Amino acid sequence: MIVLQDVTLQRGTKVLLDHASVTINPGEHAALIGRNGAGKSSLFGLLNGTLHEDGGEVLFPASWRLAQVAQDMPETTASATAFVLEGDSRLQEAEAALREADAANDGIAIANAHALLTDAGAHDATARAQALILGLGFQVDELDRPVNSFSGGWRMRLQLARALMCPSDLLLLDEPTNHLDLDALVWLEGWLRRYAGTLLIISHDREFLDAVTQVTIQIEHGKLTRYGGNYSTFEELRAQQLTLQQAAYHRQQEKIAHLQKFIDRFKAKATKARQAQSRVKALERMERLAPVLTSADFTFTFEEPPQLPNPMLVIRQATFGYRGATPATPSPATPLHEPADFTTSDALHQHQLQTGEALPPIGPQDTVILHDVSRSVLAGQRLGILGANGQGKSTFVKTIAHVLPLLAGHLTEGKGLRLGYFAQQELDMLMADDTPLGHMVRLAKAHPDIAATCGREQELRNFLGSFQFAGDMVHQAVGTMSGGEKARLALAMIVWQRPNLLLLDEPTNHLDLVTREALAMALNSFDGTVMLVSHDRALLRAVCDDFWLVAHGTVAPFEGDLDDYQRHLIDMARQKREALQAARASESPAADSPPPADSPAASPAASGAELRRQQAALRQQFLEKKRPLAKRQQQLDARLETLGAQKTTLEARLCEPMPPDQIADTGRELKQVTDALEEAELEWLDVSAALEALVQEAGAHAR
């Protein structure tokens, strides 16, 4: 187990952990939560050895293997599959041992190295690596692409796959969902639920934490507090704890006031002096309770839009994509809802769109992402835009926001439409050497109609204060701010412009849980229309009433809720795995086919009849060996599914209020089911290995 005992950790002048203690048991999946800057990542540093405690003791099993996601951007020409395979440290060690043994021509060492390779799962390592890559959203034709041909976000997915590939007893994940879309997020949840080791995870996605953790550890005021249960259970327990703590504090304050009143009244009277003195000593001995100190909750609201055109947008037979000339990157000084600066050609396209002139025909140099899209956006709608990465969600939203030109068709805006656009890269668009107040002043100059009522400097300061930019923070350089502070500034700039249509493309990537809650509340009270692209399911559930699915080159309504969409994603992932397995099967010898006539069993002098007899005997022998293994594998698949469902039910039951005896019974039952699940998984691996060896044996005969 992992034990932090009376640990003190200081970074510079800031004390992150102050005599903190906590225990994490083997196999537990724990969420590490706390405000930004509370010390969550520093605690990871203690566990991985990059930081050392200033006091106390950190006890960590020396034999445990640790895995975590590397934060550097990989620069290599190795294929995606090879890069992820390199994350399997046991496999790499076994291969290195084999190379050394071959070089020394040491037969015993070669045999030992082959045994190590078998233990490391070398026979299916490539398949396991590719399953991880596909699960995280890559396509089959990208498995052999060089790593440095992918964009930054996709390379970080490969780093995550590499960490998952590594055999580990402890897995540390710091915001693993930041670069994932909803499809990959659902897959990662399933993988982590099956992870047998100890998991410690930092995330601001509450549904993700609820799905993969059973323990919550909070860092607050330098202390570590352990709560049994997932994040939702933590919130309930924490609320109860704060209520009890505040009530105890008030009772003590009443008692102190009563004692002090007696002392003040009678300390000068000789007849009451002794009683007064005893109360003074009682006050001195009293262990004072601190009031409940919690950080002020962050809230904000959208002002009522001056107009609400209906419909907001009408899209008719539209084609979305990219012209041959790539649009120029918008200037950081560009107001969030204004069209970006385009090349001359793109400016012409935009002018034609706005004036109703015919758009130029789509040429061979243009890239079409979505075609024949016809949709209407009504006032007050709450639309969630779903779809896998690369399907065109951002292209669709960028075109509506005037960042990309429309390739064909018609996009008609309602009269008085005012856009508020939050882009994924919006934080990079802020000017690093400018200040929050400087950004707001420049925005006010660009919008004199809004600035006439709330554009004076003091009004801008007050407005920034409502987004937690108080005092000298309005003069702090944006480049020195955290991602969460930059995201709040971008939100503030949108809110100030009083939009009636919000286009939000992954607005929560840098927001903590408190700010995400504030955003959900603000969007629910917003009178205008919301179009939201997000992998935060809690936000999507809280805000969106309808969903559009961007897939297969078009945009269509999705009939169902997020749970239906998750089932849809699971089905799509299964189809992708089956397609990959079918492709592998077509490249390897057929499993059920007998060895060919030129196998070693066939004598050159054998007659045709003898050859057919040998083939039939080999085929029968192969099928007799395979049939019981395949049947047992099917039985184990069904048992694993049943045990997994039982485990999920028991874990959910433990989160509900129950008498102590029922808690103990449920805990024992959960332990039995978990042990049975592990035993079934081990047997499944053995059976699978036997089947694989049988197929390889048939292939050897074929050669």
Side-chain angles (χ1 to χ4, degrees):
M1 66 178 63
I2 301 171
V3 179
L4 276 69
Q5 188 172 340
D6 204 30
V7 171
T8 298
L9 178 64
Q10 187 170 335
R11 302 298 303 275
T13 60
K14 186 175 183 180
V15 177
L16 298 176
L17 296 178
D18 184 11
H19 299 285
S21 300
V22 76
T23 299
I24 304 171
N25 297 311
E28 286 187 332
H29 290 188
L32 184 61
I33 64 170
R35 294 277 183 169
N36 287 340
K40 301 186 295 293
S41 296
S42 297
L43 179 57
F44 273 19
L46 282 179
L47 296 177
N48 64 29
T50 58
L51 295 177
H52 297 282
E53 62 273 17
D54 298 299
E57 191 174 15
V58 178
L59 302 177
F60 183 88
S63 61
W64 275 17
R65 288 177 178 260
L66 183 147
Q68 63 179 351
V69 181
Q71 296 303 309
D72 60 300
M73 193 69 66
E75 288 289 348
T76 176
T77 57
S79 70
T81 300
F83 177 76
V84 173
L85 270 173
E86 291 171 3
D88 190 334
S89 56
R90 288 180 61 192
L91 182 61
Q92 298 303 309
E93 292 166 4
E95 290 179 344
L98 181 59
R99 287 193 296 269
E100 292 177 5
D102 282 336
N105 198 24
D106 186 338
I108 295 178
I110 291 174
N112 290 334
H114 278 290
L116 290 175
L117 284 170
T118 300
D119 292 341
H123 65 283
D124 67 345
T126 299
R128 287 187 284 115
Q130 292 181 343
L132 291 172
I133 297 170
L134 295 175
L136 290 174
F138 292 83
Q139 301 302 314
V140 174
D141 59 0
E142 294 175 324
L143 293 172
D144 295 321
R145 270 183 56 185
V147 171
N148 57 10
S149 69
F150 293 101
S151 64
W154 288 98
R155 290 192 219 180
M156 292 310 296
R157 291 193 190 205
L158 289 175
Q159 289 283 36
L160 175 58
R162 188 180 170 112
L164 300 182
M165 186 71 187
C166 180
S168 60
D169 303 289
L170 173 63
L171 179 60
L172 303 178
L173 295 179
D174 190 349
E175 294 291 356
T177 64
N178 274 358
H179 300 282
L180 303 183
D181 56 10
L182 193 52
D183 305 52
L185 183 58
V186 171
W187 176 88
L188 180 61
E189 279 183 5
W191 194 95
L192 292 176
R193 280 197 294 264
R194 296 189 300 271
Y195 176 66
T198 303
L199 172 66
L200 196 56
I201 186 166
I202 300 171
S203 177
H204 294 307
D205 187 328
R206 62 181 303 144
E207 287 210 18
F208 179 68
L209 293 178
D210 279 349
V212 302
T213 64
Q214 305 89 34
V215 175
T216 303
I217 298 172
Q218 183 189 32
I219 302 182
E220 187 177 41
H221 307 312
K223 302 297 183 184
L224 293 169
T225 307
R226 176 189 167 100
Y227 296 85
N230 58 22
Y231 184 81
S232 294
T233 304
F234 154 77
E235 283 193 318
E236 296 174 5
L237 295 174
R238 176 65 170 160
Q240 296 171 5
Q241 183 187 66
L242 291 177
T243 301
L244 293 173
Q245 184 179 343
Q246 192 69 17
Y249 171 76
H250 285 309
R251 286 196 300 270
Q252 187 183 69
Q253 291 301 303
E254 291 174 358
K255 185 175 181 180
I256 290 172
H258 178 74
L259 292 173
Q260 191 64 50
K261 184 177 180 181
F262 184 92
I263 294 168
D264 294 341
R265 182 176 179 183
F266 296 113
K267 64 182 178 180
K269 292 190 176 183
T271 56
K272 296 288 186 180
R274 180 173 297 177
Q275 292 92 326
Q277 189 62 31
S278 68
R279 283 162 174 76
V280 170
K281 292 180 180 179
L283 275 179
E284 292 173 350
R285 290 193 301 267
M286 186 179 294
E287 183 178 350
R288 300 297 179 96
L289 298 176
V292 176
L293 298 176
T294 58
S295 302
D297 289 337
F298 170 60
T299 59
F300 69 95
T301 58
F302 289 91
E303 295 292 330
E304 182 180 353
Q307 291 175 294
L308 282 177
N310 195 24
M312 292 274 184
L313 292 171
V314 176
I315 306 168
R316 289 184 290 116
Q317 297 178 328
T319 300
F320 298 79
Y322 300 90
R323 289 288 179 187
T326 304
T329 301
S331 163
T334 304
L336 297 185
H337 76 279
E338 290 292 327
D341 293 329
F342 293 100
T343 61
T344 303
S345 173
D346 286 332
L348 173 62
H349 299 163
Q350 198 68 31
H351 170 73
Q352 290 169 324
L353 170 63
Q354 294 171 351
T355 59
E357 298 176 14
L359 294 172
I362 299 174
Q365 76 281 6
D366 300 328
T367 302
V368 174
I369 306 295
L370 304 171
H371 57 84
D372 197 27
V373 177
S374 296
R375 304 248 62 84
S376 295
V377 181
L378 306 178
Q381 269 192 302
R382 301 287 194 272
L383 294 172
I385 311 298
L386 305 176
N389 271 10
Q391 292 296 312
K393 301 190 301 294
S394 293
T395 302
F396 179 60
V397 172
K398 284 179 179 179
T399 305
I400 295 174
H402 304 161
V403 175
L404 292 176
L406 191 69
L407 299 187
H410 303 276
L411 197 160
T412 306
E413 298 180 350
K415 185 177 181 181
L417 181 71
R418 189 188 292 269
L419 295 175
Y421 175 46
F422 188 105
Q424 289 192 53
Q425 71 277 14
E426 198 56 60
L427 306 192
D428 299 329
M429 313 291 288
L430 299 172
M431 299 184 68
D433 56 350
D434 204 351
T435 66
L437 184 59
H439 280 80
M440 294 303 301
V441 168
R442 188 168 55 255
L443 195 60
K445 290 179 180 178
H447 298 278
D449 56 328
I450 305 176
T453 57
C454 55
R456 291 189 295 272
E457 181 174 327
Q458 188 57 48
E459 292 170 334
L460 296 176
R461 283 173 173 269
N462 295 340
F463 179 77
L464 286 170
S466 67
F467 282 83
Q468 296 185 335
F469 295 101
D472 293 337
M473 279 196 71
V474 299
H475 297 299
Q476 181 180 342
V478 170
T480 65
M481 293 180 174
S482 67
E485 289 168 337
K486 292 177 182 177
R488 285 206 311 274
L489 177 58
L491 283 173
M493 295 173 71
I494 292 175
V495 172
W496 185 86
Q497 296 173 69
R498 299 180 66 182
N500 48 32
L501 173 58
L502 288 173
L503 303 172
L504 305 178
D505 192 356
E506 297 292 358
T508 63
N509 276 352
H510 298 277
L511 301 182
D512 59 19
L513 282 161
V514 173
T515 310
R516 292 185 186 206
E517 295 280 355
L519 176 61
M521 293 173 61
L523 291 176
N524 279 329
S525 62
F526 177 55
D527 292 331
T529 298
V530 178
M531 298 180 71
L532 174 63
V533 178
S534 179
H535 64 260
D536 187 327
R537 285 160 297 172
L539 183 64
L540 287 169
R541 290 185 201 276
V543 172
C544 299
D545 301 320
D546 301 294
F547 296 99
W548 288 356
L549 179 61
V550 180
H552 309 300
T554 189
V555 181
F558 181 78
E559 301 297 337
D561 57 15
L562 279 181
D563 293 329
D564 297 320
Y565 183 61
Q566 288 188 205
R567 285 189 286 271
H568 165 75
L569 295 179
I570 293 171
D571 291 340
M572 296 297 293
R574 185 180 66 252
Q575 293 174 16
K576 187 187 293 187
R577 288 196 303 271
E578 291 173 352
L580 180 62
Q581 291 170 357
R584 287 204 198 100
S586 66
E587 297 172 359
S588 60
D592 289 332
S593 62
D598 59 350
S599 69
S603 167
S607 65
E610 178 65 18
L611 190 60
R612 287 192 294 273
R613 188 189 66 78
Q614 290 178 359
Q615 289 177 336
L618 288 172
R619 181 188 301 113
Q620 185 64 28
Q621 183 182 11
F622 176 78
L623 292 175
E624 286 177 356
K625 290 180 179 179
K626 180 187 174 187
R627 194 175 293 114
L629 290 173
K631 182 178 179 181
R632 183 56 181 162
Q633 189 179 51
Q634 291 177 352
Q635 293 172 344
L636 288 170
D637 282 335
R639 179 164 173 75
L640 285 172
E641 185 175 353
T642 301
L643 289 172
Q646 291 177 358
K647 183 180 178 183
T648 301
T649 302
L650 291 170
E651 288 172 344
R653 191 186 304 167
L654 279 175
C655 297
E656 300 172 355
M658 291 188 295
D661 57 336
Q662 291 186 21
I663 293 176
D665 292 341
T666 304
R668 283 191 291 270
E669 189 177 352
L670 177 60
K671 178 67 165 60
Q672 293 172 356
V673 170
T674 302
D675 292 343
L677 186 61
E678 291 177 357
E679 183 180 347
E681 287 175 344
L682 289 173
E683 185 180 355
W684 187 92
L685 289 172
D686 291 339
V687 172
S688 298
L691 275 171
E692 183 73 21
L694 192 61
V695 172
Q696 288 179 351
E697 182 183 352
H701 283 306
R703 291 190 293 270

